[in-house]
Amino acid sequence: MSKDQSAEMMSRPLPKGWSWVPLGQYVENHDGRRVPISRSERESRQGAFPYYGASGVIDTIDGFTHEGEFVLIGEDGANLLTRSKPLAFLTRGKVWVNNHAHVLRCKPGFSNAYLAYYINSINLSAYVTGTAQPKLSQSMMNKIPIPVAPPEQQTEIVAEIEKQFSRLDEAVANLQRVKANLKRYKASVLKAAVEGRLVETKGEWRMSTLGDEGSIAGGLTKNQKRNDLPLKLPYLRVANVYANELRLDDIEYIGVAEKELEKLLVQKGDLLVVEGNGSPDQIGRVALWNDAIPNCVHQNHLIKIRFGDGVLSEWALVWMLSPVGRRAIEQVSVSTSGLHTLSVGKVSRLPIGVPSLEEQFRIVAEVDRQLSVLRGMVTAVDANLQRSKSLRQSILTNAFFSPSPIEGSTA
């Protein structure tokens, strides 16, 4: 909310019995009891009490700074402007709050939940200072105008918001279940594909390895010397390769020697495999290079596979994405200090079933057909999940700023 918007808002007629009140006159401030605890200390003090920061619960701890019902409002951080998460939180019971959240309690007779919902319904940018590190100081926070309804109407507004949120939460939970089922269906399609059950197949499949069916190569190592090389080419990094997905919005350039080009250039149809990741379910992420960027090379944390005439790259991709392929990748990766890693040698030894080329074409076509339908369904679910976020904000806004707020009449 800009300052002009704030003035415009306060000029709106309120329902009878309502009034605009600066937040500082509406609450008791309990910031004085906040205590920050470093992450290293919290690791040795894990307990049953939630530890709050600017964006909600970030840990647990063995003690508490506040007991009762409070409204916490983030004091600093990008979320003050981006609002990717709620800014105000209602807490009950015993909690620990660090110095990145203001701790407030409404004066007797008024609803803490009403205040929390109202803060989450508005844009506070007019009260935020700083750009590199946005901050909502206590003095600026105290100026925020609150449309204070009579206590009984506050209770009714909170009850209506929570009723609508409950319905919305149920709908979101259903959408999440649908999305989980679609994920399982995708895995079942891929599993059926590599087990020869997705389309009718004839003859025995031969078992082979990726190294026997194609050439496996590592990529370039980034170092200072490359800055002096005159030839600069776009290069692919781990951040560009996901499971059956290329994210090419952020591409960097690097110096490359002419003699390296034969090894490092990626060609359409190459598979790119992520070498290492701290999470076992992310190790071996694989995507098919589509030649979207000409003359592209790859870093050493991406392993490149280029197949010969006997195996379609698209078939190998299906195999590696399937539960069978994923299990094989996770089994050969090793963990060193929590990092799961692959190597050119390990990727070369990964097994692959090889049907005839004609069957590979048919299986890949059927997988593409079914996954295309699936992607459309996932897109629709994601759109509805995104819409639910807008609906949540609309519920809050309408609760306070609809032409006829709950049980209110314009004076």
Side-chain angles (χ1 to χ4, degrees):
M1 175 192 312
S2 68
K3 292 179 180 177
D4 288 342
Q5 290 171 321
S6 176
E8 187 274 332
M9 180 180 296
M10 292 186 66
S11 69
R12 296 178 184 178
L14 290 174
K16 185 178 180 179
W18 293 41
S19 61
W20 288 107
V21 178
L23 183 144
Q25 297 178 20
Y26 181 63
V27 300
E28 303 165 353
N29 190 290
H30 294 263
D31 284 0
R33 287 187 280 149
R34 301 178 301 175
V35 180
I37 301 291
S38 68
R39 179 182 299 178
S40 59
E41 184 177 347
R42 294 200 306 271
E43 288 176 355
S44 63
R45 295 186 56 184
Q46 292 293 294
F49 303 104
Y51 180 90
Y52 278 87
S55 298
V57 177
I58 59 175
D59 209 341
T60 60
I61 198 165
D62 59 0
F64 60 94
T65 57
H66 299 75
E67 181 178 7
E69 184 175 274
F70 295 93
V71 177
L72 308 186
I73 300 177
E75 180 173 342
D76 50 31
N79 191 51
L80 285 168
L81 301 177
T82 64
R83 303 300 286 271
S84 58
K85 300 177 181 179
L87 187 63
F89 300 89
L90 184 68
T91 70
R92 294 184 174 97
K94 299 175 180 178
V95 299
W96 192 299
V97 186
N98 70 16
N99 58 336
H100 296 291
H102 294 293
V103 186
L104 310 176
R105 176 183 280 159
C106 290
K107 290 185 177 178
F110 296 101
S111 167
N112 291 309
Y114 178 90
L115 175 62
Y117 284 134
Y118 177 69
I119 292 297
N120 282 329
S121 76
I122 61 173
N123 183 332
L124 297 179
S125 58
Y127 303 93
V128 176
T129 59
T131 53
Q133 178 65 11
K135 183 177 179 66
L136 178 64
S137 68
Q138 186 177 134
S139 61
M140 292 299 291
M141 177 185 67
N142 286 340
K143 298 177 183 178
I144 297 171
I146 308 297
V148 178
E152 64 277 8
Q153 288 187 25
Q154 292 191 20
T155 300
E156 292 168 0
I157 289 171
V158 168
E160 181 64 22
I161 289 173
E162 292 179 347
K163 181 177 75 174
Q164 294 190 38
F165 274 7
S166 178
R167 293 172 178 170
L168 186 58
D169 289 341
E170 183 179 356
V172 168
N174 288 334
L175 288 169
Q176 295 287 11
R177 281 192 289 271
V178 169
K179 191 169 183 178
N181 288 336
L182 292 174
K183 184 177 181 180
R184 285 192 287 270
Y185 176 71
K186 178 181 178 180
S188 71
V189 169
L190 294 169
K191 186 173 186 290
V194 302
E195 292 177 351
R197 297 183 291 105
L198 194 63
V199 301
E200 185 179 352
T201 60
K202 299 177 182 179
E204 294 292 326
W205 294 11
R206 60 184 176 86
M207 289 305 299
S208 185
T209 64
L210 296 182
D212 286 338
E213 301 300 327
S215 60
I216 320 291
L220 60 79
T221 302
K222 188 175 181 180
N223 55 49
Q224 194 68 28
K225 294 179 180 179
R226 293 193 176 276
N227 294 336
D228 300 326
L229 295 173
L231 178 62
K232 300 293 193 295
L233 294 178
Y235 82 107
L236 299 169
R237 300 163 292 133
V238 169
N240 302 125
V241 177
Y242 287 78
N244 197 25
E245 179 186 359
L246 295 168
R247 300 182 186 179
L248 304 178
D249 293 338
D250 182 16
I251 294 292
E252 297 183 3
Y253 284 72
I254 197 167
V256 183
E258 295 281 352
K259 64 182 180 181
E260 298 178 295
L261 292 179
E262 183 177 354
K263 174 188 176 184
L264 295 177
L265 282 172
V266 290
Q267 298 178 8
K268 187 175 182 179
D270 287 347
L271 290 186
L272 297 168
V273 182
V274 172
E275 174 195 66
N277 194 281
S279 174
D281 64 346
Q282 295 295 310
I283 185 72
R285 293 192 317 238
V286 58
L288 183 70
W289 179 242
N290 57 10
D291 213 23
I293 302 173
N295 299 318
C296 210
V297 296
H298 63 104
Q299 72 169 169
N300 59 320
H301 296 303
L302 292 176
I303 297 170
K304 179 176 62 188
I305 311 174
R306 184 172 298 160
F307 291 96
D309 296 335
V311 173
L312 297 175
S313 298
E314 294 83 357
W315 165 249
L317 177 65
V318 168
W319 184 277
M320 295 181 73
L321 290 171
S322 74
V324 173
R326 288 299 311 162
R327 278 197 301 272
I329 289 171
E330 292 174 11
Q331 286 170 1
V332 301
S333 66
V334 297
S335 179
T336 304
S337 301
L339 181 65
H340 299 264
T341 61
L342 292 172
S343 65
V344 169
K346 289 175 181 176
V347 171
S348 297
R349 295 191 294 272
L350 285 172
I352 183 172
V354 184
S356 68
L357 278 175
E358 186 271 334
E359 288 181 347
Q360 290 180 44
F361 275 112
R362 288 196 297 112
I363 295 171
V364 167
E366 182 60 18
V367 169
D368 284 346
R369 186 189 70 80
Q370 294 202 30
L371 294 192
S372 177
V373 173
L374 190 65
R375 282 192 294 271
M377 296 171 71
V378 170
T379 298
V381 170
D382 285 341
N384 281 314
L385 286 171
Q386 188 60 41
R387 182 169 174 264
S388 73
K389 296 179 182 179
S390 300
L391 284 173
R392 190 173 298 273
Q393 195 62 35
S394 295
I395 289 170
L396 289 174
T397 301
N398 290 337
F400 299 100
F401 300 117
S402 64
S404 300
I406 299 168
E407 295 299 317
S409 59
T410 303

